[in-house]
Amino acid sequence: MIFRDFNPAVHDIYKVAELSYDVDYRTFNHVFKSKEEGVEAIKERLIFDFAEGIDENDLFYVFFDDEDREEKEIIGMFNGGKGVKYSYLKEILFLFKNLKFSQALALSKVSFMDYFVLVNVEDDDFYIGELAICSNQRGKGYGKEALDQLTQLGKDLNCKRVILDVDFRNDKAYKLYHSKGFRVFNKKSLNFLSKKKREMKHMELKFLK
């Protein structure tokens, strides 16, 4: 598998936005009228993100198969990095400054929920914020291979552990991470929209010293 820094001017930004949507589709489905509307909002957000320049600690990769020499078909994506911090206020200001009001409002609702359920990232943590494989490429081992490469990257960056969030309903992802040595160390939940509940398992893979 080949990792490349995501470049909106070169790579299929709609595909990347769609993958980002799929990572947390249960939440996005609550704030957008359709998947198409949500993907379009994420796409616009990515355009402005990269126009302003992302933080040097933020990593955003797209994946290609080793045999895809011309790198035409994206098979997955990753977003995260070492010590990546989340600022709710900064996020909200960014959204309403750059996007249409309806897009900013919907994405700000997602950010609000994220604020209460996502893991707290320390400076020496390697955080896997988003990791997705295209639906037509699943079951081929790409998820495991990407996770192995990201874990190695965390070691190379001298991180103490790799951490990530897993929706409590996503048993498939949980089993993958557990098979790779990740263990649950915390949980957070948020009740919203009356009877709806969002809950995340926080998982970690510690590196031996």
Side-chain angles (χ1 to χ4, degrees):
M1 180 181 289
I2 301 170
F3 283 32
R4 291 288 183 262
D5 289 318
F6 173 56
N7 183 343
V10 175
H11 301 124
D12 186 346
I13 190 170
Y14 189 89
K15 170 62 72 175
V16 173
E18 186 176 42
L19 285 168
S20 183
Y21 187 101
D22 289 344
V23 168
D24 198 12
Y25 71 91
R26 294 182 180 89
T27 303
F28 285 121
N29 284 345
H30 285 301
V31 299
F32 288 104
K33 295 179 181 178
S34 67
K35 179 176 179 178
E36 290 74 20
E37 184 180 290
V39 171
E40 181 65 24
I42 295 171
K43 186 193 77 173
E44 291 298 310
R45 187 256 162 81
L46 287 171
I47 290 172
F48 285 104
D49 257 343
F50 282 82
E52 291 192 1
I54 62 175
D55 186 272
E56 63 179 0
N57 290 327
D58 290 341
L59 303 176
F60 205 126
Y61 297 140
V62 286
F63 313 147
F64 299 90
D65 187 89
D66 288 334
E67 297 181 0
D68 187 2
R69 299 304 177 187
E70 296 183 7
E71 299 176 8
K72 290 184 177 181
E73 184 179 2
I74 293 173
I75 61 174
M77 56 83 73
F78 158 77
N79 186 20
K82 181 177 181 179
V84 175
K85 302 296 183 181
Y86 178 81
S87 171
Y88 177 64
L89 178 59
K90 183 179 178 181
E91 172 76 2
I92 298 305
L93 292 174
F94 172 86
L95 292 174
F96 281 96
K97 173 186 175 183
N98 294 294
L99 303 185
K100 295 178 182 178
F101 180 81
S102 60
Q103 294 176 330
L105 182 61
L107 289 178
S108 67
K109 292 178 181 178
V110 176
S111 296
F112 175 79
M113 289 181 274
D114 284 347
Y115 179 78
F116 287 100
V117 299
L118 296 187
V119 65
N120 296 323
V121 182
E122 303 296 333
D123 290 340
D124 51 1
D125 288 334
F126 186 84
Y127 179 49
I128 298 178
E130 294 180 308
L131 176 59
I133 302 297
C134 295
S135 58
N136 65 341
Q137 298 292 341
R138 293 170 191 163
K140 301 179 181 180
Y142 289 128
K144 292 181 180 179
E145 185 176 348
L147 191 57
D148 287 342
Q149 290 198 38
L150 292 171
T151 298
Q152 184 59 51
L153 179 57
K155 289 182 180 180
D156 295 342
L157 292 173
N158 296 315
C159 296
K160 68 176 181 181
R161 60 179 182 167
V162 179
I163 59 174
L164 50 83
D165 309 285
V166 183
D167 189 292
F168 76 105
R169 294 161 293 187
N170 195 342
D171 291 333
K172 189 172 183 179
Y174 171 79
K175 290 177 181 178
L176 168 61
Y177 298 134
H178 192 272
S179 72
K180 290 294 184 178
F182 286 80
R183 297 294 180 264
V184 175
F185 70 95
N186 192 27
K187 297 179 182 179
K188 289 183 182 179
S189 62
L190 173 70
N191 293 313
F192 67 100
L193 298 178
S194 299
K195 297 181 181 180
K196 299 296 182 180
K197 183 177 182 180
R198 191 172 191 227
E199 182 177 351
M200 289 290 184
K201 298 175 183 177
H202 301 164
M203 303 186 75
E204 65 180 0
L205 175 64
K206 293 183 177 180
F207 297 131
L208 297 176
K209 295 183 178 179

